Amino acid sequence: MTRLAVERHHWGSRRFLGIPDYRRLLATRLASQWGDGVFQAGLAGAVLFNPERQADPLAIAAGFAVLLLPYSLIGPFTGALLDRWDRKRVIVAANVLRAVFVLLTAAAVATGLSGLPLYVSALVVMGIGRFVGAGLSASLPHVVPEDHLVEANALATTAGAIMAVVGAGCAIGFRTVLGAGDGGSGWTTSTAVVGLLLGAFIASRFSAGVLGPDEVDEPHNAVTAVARGLLDGGKATLHTPSVTAGLAALLAHRAGFAVSLMVTLLLMRYSLEDVGFLKAGIGGLGEIAVAGGAGILLAGVLTDRIVDRFGTRRTICGALLLAAVAQVGLGLPMTLPTVLAAGFVIIFAGQVVKLCVDTAVQHDVGDEVRGRVFALYDTLFNITQVTAVSLTATVVPLDGRSPGLIVTAACLYLAGLGAYLLLARKGQVQHPRLVREDDGSHPIR
């Protein structure tokens, strides 16, 4: 593609923001993900960096399970229902309902509860949140032209992820003011309600039906529809080579990232020391969040242009190679500056892969089943991370200093690269009509 053609392909954020429904969808995402960031950081601070509670690798793994397993348990339900019900109503109702459970979770934290009562409440918040996240992703093709999905998705996903980082940063600031104990953690967690209710209000301004689904390919019985949601998503994924290969790459990156994240959390808590203006402890997690946010922002700016220049296949392969090199080169020294640099590069690479896979689902999967595919995507994504974190927790030393685990994470990225190439080649042989030429003539290749 010529430089002039590439420039014409890119609309830029100003033109997207000129579309009222896209602007409203983006605002809903920003408010909701700010609330998500506050809630997750508030809960993580309460469990991991609370002087009134003790954290070890298994406790950290349990915390990840609380935050991520709802994506897996609720995922099949969200997919079937988002392809059956008005997505606007689902997004509004889900945000309001989880605001209620945020308050219940905050009360549990403030009163010192731990174990099952705290976990159940948090599981509900995160589980219901899947209706919002999957609903926003499945709705995007209804508000922007098909041939601009890559750029629109990059803008929305990047802005949302950065807003979640901002929310996490706000939670760290709230803890400084309100206190790091149970009481302060409870108040910090409760502030997430503001973002969730604002997101519900913004989404309520959509006209009924504008976010889809346009057609309902579901049985009349809702229970049957829910029960088969995951199966339908799996079938659609297997029949879409671009999604199957991309998902393999993304899951491998998520597994490697989970191993690295567990090591980083323990290093921050027990091993690393402040270096100049760089801080360890809870402040170090804030710095990791900022570094990750910068990586996400850079990915949002560059991914569409990289795909236009090199094609999706080379982009995904390059991102996985970059993650592996950064994991070894910056991760092995295990110093505060290199850990932060590794976080920036690895999160950038992962976001590049995710944007490519998101767009493949949005473009190559039919609207009548898209919600179920996103639900399967979320389910596998988070099962992979919880499994990797849990396995890492059984072998990682308390201080986090494990070169073997860092090398293992790098090998997982390379395994994902191999799986991606194998599945992409297999799909090209079996489904030649479904594989587009990698010539820069289309946003998904």
Side-chain angles (χ1 to χ4, degrees), residues 30 159 246 263 277 294:
L30 295 181
V263 170
F277 63 89

Side-chain angles (χ1 to χ4, degrees), residues 72-93:
S72 307
L73 300 175
I74 306 299
F77 295 83
T78 64
L81 297 177
L82 284 168
D83 290 333
R84 182 184 184 88
W85 294 345
D86 183 349
R87 290 172 186 151
K88 165 207 167 178
R89 294 182 180 179
V90 172
I91 293 170
V92 172

